[in-house]
């Protein structure tokens, strides 16, 4: 009986250590499944590469569509690519490529469509691996950071000098306007341009217009605003190899014109 009691006492003594080990392992697994920095914390673009970052104010707001449209119109003047920072389980580019070119170093998958190189993570991605360098000179790179700014706003996952311009994507809704004001108030990005998915601000109903807060109003009045009209087909199918709707491409051209006019 004494031996049994002794074994129980040893179990009790080891219990705190076992709990600590389990907690540490669980944290490590969570970091691998959902990396806070998306593996771009130490990444720097090539000397001749121009980078624009696109961030959604909430998930599934249309940031990847805006990113792809922006890269697509940029191909008119030179090589362009899009780098999607999201984990593969949250990718919006899974079915967007017309041709898949395989997976390279670090687990980054390459695809191609209409002159745009699509770079996204695979299931074997190493989240601390930098994306591959551009193939062409003077490449226009769009970083699709998803909802990184609002998901973990206190963490600097991308170096401040990586992106020469920022695009914030928000739907015409009260929740998105709240998140937008939060990002602007924290000054997480400098001199951003706003892409609104929905109706233009001048047509917003009173309930939505009354949700506009000071920093959002300042951005709306700056003129750095482009409206992307929702597309029924894209809302059902998501991004496919089919060409983007003309009205989406037209809005992206306007967005690119604004970005080209901003100081670098």
């Amino acid at each position: 009986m004494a031996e049994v009691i002794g074994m129980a006492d040893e179990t009790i003594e080891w219990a705190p250590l076992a709990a600590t080990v389990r907690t540490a392992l669980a944290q490590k697994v969570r970091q691998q499944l959902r990396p806070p920095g998306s593996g771009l914390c130490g990444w720097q673009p090539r000397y001749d590469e121009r980078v624009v970052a696109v961030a959604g104010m909430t998930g599934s707001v249309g940031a990847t569509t805006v990113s792809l449209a922006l890269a697509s119109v940029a191909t008119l003047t030179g090589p362009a690519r899009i780098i999607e920072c999201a984990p593969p389980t949250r990718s919006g580019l899974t079915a967007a490529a017309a041709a898949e070119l395989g997976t390279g170093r670090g687990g980054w998958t390459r695809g191609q469509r209409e002159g745009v190189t699509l770079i996204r993570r695979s299931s074997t991605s190493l989240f601390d691996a930098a994306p591959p360098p551009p193939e062409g000179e003077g490449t226009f790179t769009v970083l699709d950071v998803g909802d990184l700014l609002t998901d973990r706003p206190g963490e600097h996952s991308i170096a401040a000098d990586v992106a020469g311009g920022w695009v914030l994507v928000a739907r015409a809704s009260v929740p998105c306007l709240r998140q937008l004001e939060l990002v602007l108030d924290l000054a997480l990005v400098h001199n951003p341009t706003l892409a609104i998915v929905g109706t233009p601000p001048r047509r917003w109903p009173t309930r939505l217009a009354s949700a506009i807060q000071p920093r959002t109003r300042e951005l709306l009045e700056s003129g750095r605003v482009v409206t992307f009209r929702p597309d029924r087909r894209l809302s059902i199918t998501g991004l496919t190899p089919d060409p983007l709707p003309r009205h989406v491409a037209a809005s992206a051209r306007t967005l690119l014109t604004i970005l080209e006019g901003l100081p670098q």
Side-chain angles (χ1 to χ4, degrees):
M1 185 65 177
E3 293 181 358
V4 175
I5 293 177
M7 291 177 62
D9 290 342
E10 285 187 5
T11 303
I12 293 174
E13 290 176 1
W14 281 97
L17 178 59
T20 302
V21 172
R22 284 196 300 270
T23 301
L25 289 175
Q27 291 177 349
K28 185 176 182 180
V29 170
R30 282 196 295 269
Q31 290 172 358
Q32 292 174 345
L33 292 177
R34 189 177 178 79
S38 297
L40 293 179
C41 186
W43 176 73
Q44 288 290 330
R46 201 169 66 181
Y47 71 95
D48 62 340
E49 185 178 6
R50 184 187 175 189
V51 178
V52 171
V54 178
M57 295 299 94
T58 60
S60 302
V61 75
T64 301
T65 300
V66 172
S67 298
L68 181 58
L70 185 59
S72 297
V73 297
T75 59
L76 298 176
T77 57
R81 64 176 185 163
I82 173 176
I83 300 176
E84 186 184 48
C85 302
T89 55
R90 303 176 63 186
S91 174
L93 296 176
T94 303
E100 293 288 354
L101 305 179
T103 301
R105 180 180 301 176
W108 291 93
T109 296
R110 294 174 60 251
Q112 194 80 23
R113 58 165 287 152
E114 299 181 325
V116 179
T117 301
L118 313 182
I119 300 176
R120 57 186 173 87
R121 299 184 188 277
S122 68
S123 58
T124 60
S125 290
L126 302 175
F127 284 102
D128 59 348
E135 297 180 350
E137 296 182 355
T139 297
F140 183 90
T141 296
V142 181
L143 278 183
D144 175 13
V145 302
D147 58 350
L148 185 63
L149 290 179
T150 55
D151 187 32
R152 296 179 182 268
E155 299 179 5
H156 300 287
S157 300
I158 299 176
D161 59 345
V162 164
W166 279 86
V167 178
L168 305 181
V169 184
R171 288 193 179 275
S173 67
V174 173
C176 271
L177 291 183
R178 290 172 181 160
Q179 292 286 1
L180 175 61
E181 185 70 17
L182 173 64
V183 170
L184 296 175
D185 189 57
L186 293 176
L188 298 177
V189 297
H190 175 67
N191 203 28
T193 300
L194 178 61
I196 297 175
V197 179
T199 56
R202 66 178 182 276
R203 295 175 54 189
W204 286 357
T206 303
R207 180 174 297 182
L208 180 57
S210 62
I212 300 175
Q213 299 182 57
R215 296 188 185 279
T216 300
R217 187 178 303 279
E218 181 181 353
L219 179 56
L220 291 174
E221 294 174 352
S222 70
R224 302 191 307 274
V225 181
V226 179
T227 301
F228 284 77
R229 182 160 50 90
D231 184 80
R232 179 177 174 82
R233 176 177 65 83
L234 288 179
S235 64
I236 295 175
T237 65
L239 292 171
T240 67
D242 297 330
L244 293 171
R246 291 184 178 179
H247 63 87
V248 174
S251 296
R253 283 193 292 270
T254 302
L255 177 58
L256 182 60
T257 299
I258 294 176
L259 291 170
E260 289 177 339
L262 294 177
Q264 300 299 306

